[in-house]
Amino acid sequence: MMKSNVLRRFLPAALMASAVLVSKPALAVNYQKLVDADTKTFQAYFLKEFPEVKLSDYANGVYALDEDSRKQWQEMEEFPPYELDVEAGKTLFNKPFANGKSLASCFPNGGAVRGKYPYFDEKRSEVVTLEMAINECRVANGEKPYAWKKGDLAKVSAYIAFISRGQKVDVKVNSKAAYDAYMNGKKFFYAKRGMLNMSCSGCHMEYAGRQLRADIISPALGHTTHFPVFRSKWGEIGTLDRRYAGCNENIGAKPFPAQSEEYRDLEFFQTIMSNGLQYNGPASRK
Amino acid sequence: MKHFSGIIAAAALLMLPSLGQAASKADLDKGKALAFDSGKGNCLACHTIADGEFPGNFGPPLIQMKERFPDHAVLRQQIWDASAKNPKSMMPPFGKNGILTEPEIDQIVDYLYTL
């Protein structure tokens, strides 16, 4: 009897509460909140896996995890191999187009805009990356776009990254369309692919810090903060999507084209996972 | 009766390889070369093996293989498609995805049993 009284008293309240829950999807979904929760879980995974590594240090990639490689890397960074690329990028950035304008006319803040990219452009309904914006500026001014992945494009990107060092990674997801792009990148990150049947997450989360032959696997957290990179293996500077393509080739998967939707969404997802870190590109890598 | 002994003979033939029919030294060397070749088995990328240099540590060291894999078919299947047993396995499905041919897998398995 007592029980049913209690039930009777609480039932209306329970019904109201469930009504609120049911009608919630009709209200605006807080996509940023969903994504922030993912970022927190993602970062917590690494913080638990490597309790001695500080969150901010993940911007240094694999060198956050291995002391010996870190020492070698620090020696290399004393005379950074990308220094000439940054200089060249600066010249290109300020070099007048045929119409008298320059890349500098397209970017505010003297070009220190690394922290604004990538972002989801709501009008275009797609992810816009820094490299994409650089080439769009050229095309809009009647110039030919740079070739993707390396060369002049990577140099300008390196210059912009260099003068933006210390800017915070803070990518926003404010709409259903932006969330869809994020989810697309997230699926890419966790999906197994290629002849070797491997995923980004397999190596760069589950096995981060372990050795693949003589190479130590970098953590996915912080992956996008330091690009473009001067890779010893390349002997030159290259962009993030060049690295994505190389990684896909390594696992026997056909790479997607540079700046394809797949890679831009992946960059979007990965950068969001690094929200709260600082941009510190360009960098040198093995 | 004649029929029955025929079956036994066939079964015995099938069992021959798993009875440890000794692979020749040349075959074992080939198996080792395939295991070490970074474009083939590339086992060293993830496993410590004998005198292989700079082995990775994604997977366990390849030692005491007879004790760990008393069943020949289980070891072969692990190489052919590790994801059959564990869908989350990082190990590439060497047979299923055609990274190695069937004879190459056999040669590697024979070599692994010497470890």
Side-chain angles (χ1 to χ4, degrees), chain A residues 46-66:
Chain A
F46 287 97
L47 295 175
K48 192 176 166 221
E49 195 80 356
F50 305 99
E52 71 286 4
V53 179
K54 275 193 285 179
L55 179 64
S56 60
D57 208 22
Y58 281 92
N60 294 322
V62 72
Y63 309 115
L65 305 187
D66 185 66

PDB file of all heavy atoms in Angstrom, chain A residues 46-66:
ATOM      1  N   PHE A  46      45.592   8.403 -22.724  1.00  0.00           N
ATOM      2  CA  PHE A  46      47.046   8.561 -22.782  1.00  0.00           C
ATOM      3  C   PHE A  46      47.628   8.929 -21.419  1.00  0.00           C
ATOM      4  O   PHE A  46      48.704   8.453 -21.046  1.00  0.00           O
ATOM      5  CB  PHE A  46      47.419   9.613 -23.835  1.00  0.00           C
ATOM      6  CG  PHE A  46      47.238   9.112 -25.235  1.00  0.00           C
ATOM      7  CD1 PHE A  46      46.072   9.395 -25.952  1.00  0.00           C
ATOM      8  CD2 PHE A  46      48.204   8.325 -25.837  1.00  0.00           C
ATOM      9  CE1 PHE A  46      45.897   8.907 -27.235  1.00  0.00           C
ATOM     10  CE2 PHE A  46      48.039   7.829 -27.123  1.00  0.00           C
ATOM     11  CZ  PHE A  46      46.876   8.129 -27.828  1.00  0.00           C
ATOM     12  N   LEU A  47      46.907   9.767 -20.685  1.00  0.00           N
ATOM     13  CA  LEU A  47      47.417  10.192 -19.378  1.00  0.00           C
ATOM     14  C   LEU A  47      47.519   8.995 -18.431  1.00  0.00           C
ATOM     15  O   LEU A  47      48.400   8.933 -17.581  1.00  0.00           O
ATOM     16  CB  LEU A  47      46.526  11.297 -18.790  1.00  0.00           C
ATOM     17  CG  LEU A  47      46.532  12.600 -19.600  1.00  0.00           C
ATOM     18  CD1 LEU A  47      45.532  13.599 -19.039  1.00  0.00           C
ATOM     19  CD2 LEU A  47      47.938  13.218 -19.629  1.00  0.00           C
ATOM     20  N   LYS A  48      46.605   8.042 -18.605  1.00  0.00           N
ATOM     21  CA  LYS A  48      46.635   6.849 -17.772  1.00  0.00           C
ATOM     22  C   LYS A  48      47.744   5.896 -18.245  1.00  0.00           C
ATOM     23  O   LYS A  48      48.457   5.295 -17.443  1.00  0.00           O
ATOM     24  CB  LYS A  48      45.267   6.152 -17.852  1.00  0.00           C
ATOM     25  CG  LYS A  48      45.117   5.076 -16.813  1.00  0.00           C
ATOM     26  CD  LYS A  48      43.733   4.451 -16.841  1.00  0.00           C
ATOM     27  CE  LYS A  48      43.749   3.161 -16.025  1.00  0.00           C
ATOM     28  NZ  LYS A  48      42.994   2.086 -16.638  1.00  0.00           N
ATOM     29  N   GLU A  49      47.866   5.803 -19.560  1.00  0.00           N
ATOM     30  CA  GLU A  49      48.863   4.904 -20.151  1.00  0.00           C
ATOM     31  C   GLU A  49      50.293   5.359 -19.832  1.00  0.00           C
ATOM     32  O   GLU A  49      51.175   4.542 -19.617  1.00  0.00           O
ATOM     33  CB  GLU A  49      48.647   4.869 -21.681  1.00  0.00           C
ATOM     34  CG  GLU A  49      49.337   3.761 -22.393  1.00  0.00           C
ATOM     35  CD  GLU A  49      48.590   2.427 -22.290  1.00  0.00           C
ATOM     36  OE1 GLU A  49      47.556   2.329 -21.592  1.00  0.00           O
ATOM     37  OE2 GLU A  49      49.063   1.485 -22.901  1.00  0.00           O
ATOM     38  N   PHE A  50      50.502   6.666 -19.839  1.00  0.00           N
ATOM     39  CA  PHE A  50      51.839   7.223 -19.579  1.00  0.00           C
ATOM     40  C   PHE A  50      51.741   8.266 -18.466  1.00  0.00           C
ATOM     41  O   PHE A  50      51.809   9.468 -18.728  1.00  0.00           O
ATOM     42  CB  PHE A  50      52.412   7.870 -20.852  1.00  0.00           C
ATOM     43  CG  PHE A  50      52.449   6.940 -22.031  1.00  0.00           C
ATOM     44  CD1 PHE A  50      51.444   6.989 -23.002  1.00  0.00           C
ATOM     45  CD2 PHE A  50      53.461   5.998 -22.171  1.00  0.00           C
ATOM     46  CE1 PHE A  50      51.469   6.121 -24.093  1.00  0.00           C
ATOM     47  CE2 PHE A  50      53.488   5.125 -23.255  1.00  0.00           C
ATOM     48  CZ  PHE A  50      52.496   5.187 -24.218  1.00  0.00           C
ATOM     49  N   PRO A  51      51.597   7.807 -17.229  1.00  0.00           N
ATOM     50  CA  PRO A  51      51.324   8.734 -16.118  1.00  0.00           C
ATOM     51  C   PRO A  51      52.428   9.769 -15.920  1.00  0.00           C
ATOM     52  O   PRO A  51      52.179  10.839 -15.349  1.00  0.00           O
ATOM     53  CB  PRO A  51      51.219   7.821 -14.895  1.00  0.00           C
ATOM     54  CG  PRO A  51      51.514   6.452 -15.326  1.00  0.00           C
ATOM     55  CD  PRO A  51      51.662   6.400 -16.801  1.00  0.00           C
ATOM     56  N   GLU A  52      53.633   9.484 -16.403  1.00  0.00           N
ATOM     57  CA  GLU A  52      54.735  10.427 -16.171  1.00  0.00           C
ATOM     58  C   GLU A  52      54.794  11.531 -17.231  1.00  0.00           C
ATOM     59  O   GLU A  52      55.560  12.483 -17.099  1.00  0.00           O
ATOM     60  CB  GLU A  52      56.064   9.663 -16.101  1.00  0.00           C
ATOM     61  CG  GLU A  52      56.580   9.096 -17.404  1.00  0.00           C
ATOM     62  CD  GLU A  52      55.811   7.844 -17.897  1.00  0.00           C
ATOM     63  OE1 GLU A  52      54.802   7.432 -17.258  1.00  0.00           O
ATOM     64  OE2 GLU A  52      56.194   7.288 -18.932  1.00  0.00           O
ATOM     65  N   VAL A  53      53.985  11.417 -18.294  1.00  0.00           N
ATOM     66  CA  VAL A  53      54.031  12.410 -19.371  1.00  0.00           C
ATOM     67  C   VAL A  53      52.935  13.468 -19.171  1.00  0.00           C
ATOM     68  O   VAL A  53      51.771  13.128 -18.997  1.00  0.00           O
ATOM     69  CB  VAL A  53      53.853  11.735 -20.753  1.00  0.00           C
ATOM     70  CG1 VAL A  53      53.874  12.760 -21.868  1.00  0.00           C
ATOM     71  CG2 VAL A  53      54.947  10.693 -20.974  1.00  0.00           C
ATOM     72  N   LYS A  54      53.367  14.728 -19.199  1.00  0.00           N
ATOM     73  CA  LYS A  54      52.396  15.818 -19.029  1.00  0.00           C
ATOM     74  C   LYS A  54      51.591  16.018 -20.313  1.00  0.00           C
ATOM     75  O   LYS A  54      52.126  15.852 -21.413  1.00  0.00           O
ATOM     76  CB  LYS A  54      53.133  17.124 -18.701  1.00  0.00           C
ATOM     77  CG  LYS A  54      53.423  17.271 -17.212  1.00  0.00           C
ATOM     78  CD  LYS A  54      53.854  18.698 -16.889  1.00  0.00           C
ATOM     79  CE  LYS A  54      55.276  18.952 -17.336  1.00  0.00           C
ATOM     80  NZ  LYS A  54      55.790  20.277 -17.102  1.00  0.00           N
ATOM     81  N   LEU A  55      50.355  16.436 -20.155  1.00  0.00           N
ATOM     82  CA  LEU A  55      49.470  16.625 -21.311  1.00  0.00           C
ATOM     83  C   LEU A  55      50.120  17.524 -22.372  1.00  0.00           C
ATOM     84  O   LEU A  55      50.144  17.191 -23.551  1.00  0.00           O
ATOM     85  CB  LEU A  55      48.129  17.216 -20.849  1.00  0.00           C
ATOM     86  CG  LEU A  55      47.116  17.491 -21.957  1.00  0.00           C
ATOM     87  CD1 LEU A  55      46.694  16.201 -22.641  1.00  0.00           C
ATOM     88  CD2 LEU A  55      45.886  18.213 -21.411  1.00  0.00           C
ATOM     89  N   SER A  56      50.688  18.660 -21.926  1.00  0.00           N
ATOM     90  CA  SER A  56      51.239  19.624 -22.879  1.00  0.00           C
ATOM     91  C   SER A  56      52.393  19.027 -23.686  1.00  0.00           C
ATOM     92  O   SER A  56      52.657  19.443 -24.810  1.00  0.00           O
ATOM     93  CB  SER A  56      51.716  20.873 -22.145  1.00  0.00           C
ATOM     94  OG  SER A  56      52.713  20.510 -21.208  1.00  0.00           O
ATOM     95  N   ASP A  57      53.069  18.032 -23.121  1.00  0.00           N
ATOM     96  CA  ASP A  57      54.240  17.462 -23.793  1.00  0.00           C
ATOM     97  C   ASP A  57      53.873  16.605 -25.007  1.00  0.00           C
ATOM     98  O   ASP A  57      54.727  16.305 -25.843  1.00  0.00           O
ATOM     99  CB  ASP A  57      55.066  16.649 -22.790  1.00  0.00           C
ATOM    100  CG  ASP A  57      56.546  16.600 -23.165  1.00  0.00           C
ATOM    101  OD1 ASP A  57      56.996  17.494 -23.904  1.00  0.00           O
ATOM    102  OD2 ASP A  57      57.240  15.668 -22.731  1.00  0.00           O
ATOM    103  N   TYR A  58      52.608  16.234 -25.109  1.00  0.00           N
ATOM    104  CA  TYR A  58      52.193  15.423 -26.258  1.00  0.00           C
ATOM    105  C   TYR A  58      52.329  16.185 -27.576  1.00  0.00           C
ATOM    106  O   TYR A  58      52.325  15.585 -28.648  1.00  0.00           O
ATOM    107  CB  TYR A  58      50.771  14.898 -26.080  1.00  0.00           C
ATOM    108  CG  TYR A  58      50.723  13.698 -25.164  1.00  0.00           C
ATOM    109  CD1 TYR A  58      50.505  13.849 -23.800  1.00  0.00           C
ATOM    110  CD2 TYR A  58      50.945  12.414 -25.648  1.00  0.00           C
ATOM    111  CE1 TYR A  58      50.495  12.757 -22.937  1.00  0.00           C
ATOM    112  CE2 TYR A  58      50.944  11.322 -24.811  1.00  0.00           C
ATOM    113  CZ  TYR A  58      50.714  11.494 -23.457  1.00  0.00           C
ATOM    114  OH  TYR A  58      50.724  10.409 -22.631  1.00  0.00           O
ATOM    115  N   ALA A  59      52.458  17.505 -27.487  1.00  0.00           N
ATOM    116  CA  ALA A  59      52.691  18.298 -28.699  1.00  0.00           C
ATOM    117  C   ALA A  59      54.037  17.926 -29.324  1.00  0.00           C
ATOM    118  O   ALA A  59      54.290  18.224 -30.487  1.00  0.00           O
ATOM    119  CB  ALA A  59      52.646  19.786 -28.369  1.00  0.00           C
ATOM    120  N   ASN A  60      54.895  17.262 -28.553  1.00  0.00           N
ATOM    121  CA  ASN A  60      56.213  16.855 -29.071  1.00  0.00           C
ATOM    122  C   ASN A  60      56.227  15.446 -29.634  1.00  0.00           C
ATOM    123  O   ASN A  60      57.293  14.880 -29.882  1.00  0.00           O
ATOM    124  CB  ASN A  60      57.262  16.994 -27.964  1.00  0.00           C
ATOM    125  CG  ASN A  60      57.474  18.436 -27.578  1.00  0.00           C
ATOM    126  OD1 ASN A  60      57.455  19.322 -28.442  1.00  0.00           O
ATOM    127  ND2 ASN A  60      57.631  18.691 -26.298  1.00  0.00           N
ATOM    128  N   GLY A  61      55.049  14.895 -29.835  1.00  0.00           N
ATOM    129  CA  GLY A  61      54.947  13.598 -30.502  1.00  0.00           C
ATOM    130  C   GLY A  61      55.667  12.492 -29.751  1.00  0.00           C
ATOM    131  O   GLY A  61      55.629  12.432 -28.525  1.00  0.00           O
ATOM    132  N   VAL A  62      56.351  11.655 -30.502  1.00  0.00           N
ATOM    133  CA  VAL A  62      56.990  10.469 -29.919  1.00  0.00           C
ATOM    134  C   VAL A  62      58.054  10.860 -28.893  1.00  0.00           C
ATOM    135  O   VAL A  62      58.355  10.093 -27.984  1.00  0.00           O
ATOM    136  CB  VAL A  62      57.593   9.576 -31.038  1.00  0.00           C
ATOM    137  CG1 VAL A  62      58.818  10.208 -31.651  1.00  0.00           C
ATOM    138  CG2 VAL A  62      57.910   8.184 -30.507  1.00  0.00           C
ATOM    139  N   TYR A  63      58.597  12.083 -29.032  1.00  0.00           N
ATOM    140  CA  TYR A  63      59.660  12.499 -28.111  1.00  0.00           C
ATOM    141  C   TYR A  63      59.136  12.756 -26.701  1.00  0.00           C
ATOM    142  O   TYR A  63      59.911  12.894 -25.762  1.00  0.00           O
ATOM    143  CB  TYR A  63      60.398  13.721 -28.677  1.00  0.00           C
ATOM    144  CG  TYR A  63      60.816  13.454 -30.104  1.00  0.00           C
ATOM    145  CD1 TYR A  63      60.301  14.182 -31.172  1.00  0.00           C
ATOM    146  CD2 TYR A  63      61.684  12.396 -30.390  1.00  0.00           C
ATOM    147  CE1 TYR A  63      60.647  13.885 -32.479  1.00  0.00           C
ATOM    148  CE2 TYR A  63      62.028  12.086 -31.697  1.00  0.00           C
ATOM    149  CZ  TYR A  63      61.508  12.835 -32.734  1.00  0.00           C
ATOM    150  OH  TYR A  63      61.842  12.521 -34.023  1.00  0.00           O
ATOM    151  N   ALA A  64      57.819  12.793 -26.574  1.00  0.00           N
ATOM    152  CA  ALA A  64      57.231  12.893 -25.239  1.00  0.00           C
ATOM    153  C   ALA A  64      57.364  11.556 -24.511  1.00  0.00           C
ATOM    154  O   ALA A  64      57.336  11.498 -23.286  1.00  0.00           O
ATOM    155  CB  ALA A  64      55.750  13.284 -25.341  1.00  0.00           C
ATOM    156  N   LEU A  65      57.505  10.476 -25.288  1.00  0.00           N
ATOM    157  CA  LEU A  65      57.463   9.136 -24.693  1.00  0.00           C
ATOM    158  C   LEU A  65      58.827   8.501 -24.489  1.00  0.00           C
ATOM    159  O   LEU A  65      58.981   7.618 -23.654  1.00  0.00           O
ATOM    160  CB  LEU A  65      56.613   8.190 -25.559  1.00  0.00           C
ATOM    161  CG  LEU A  65      55.187   8.615 -25.892  1.00  0.00           C
ATOM    162  CD1 LEU A  65      54.471   7.474 -26.606  1.00  0.00           C
ATOM    163  CD2 LEU A  65      54.429   9.006 -24.632  1.00  0.00           C
ATOM    164  N   ASP A  66      59.817   8.894 -25.267  1.00  0.00           N
ATOM    165  CA  ASP A  66      61.092   8.192 -25.209  1.00  0.00           C
ATOM    166  C   ASP A  66      62.262   9.147 -25.009  1.00  0.00           C
ATOM    167  O   ASP A  66      62.538  10.006 -25.854  1.00  0.00           O
ATOM    168  CB  ASP A  66      61.304   7.377 -26.491  1.00  0.00           C
ATOM    169  CG  ASP A  66      62.565   6.540 -26.417  1.00  0.00           C
ATOM    170  OD1 ASP A  66      62.595   5.619 -25.585  1.00  0.00           O
ATOM    171  OD2 ASP A  66      63.517   6.830 -27.163  1.00  0.00           O
TER     172      ASP A  66
END
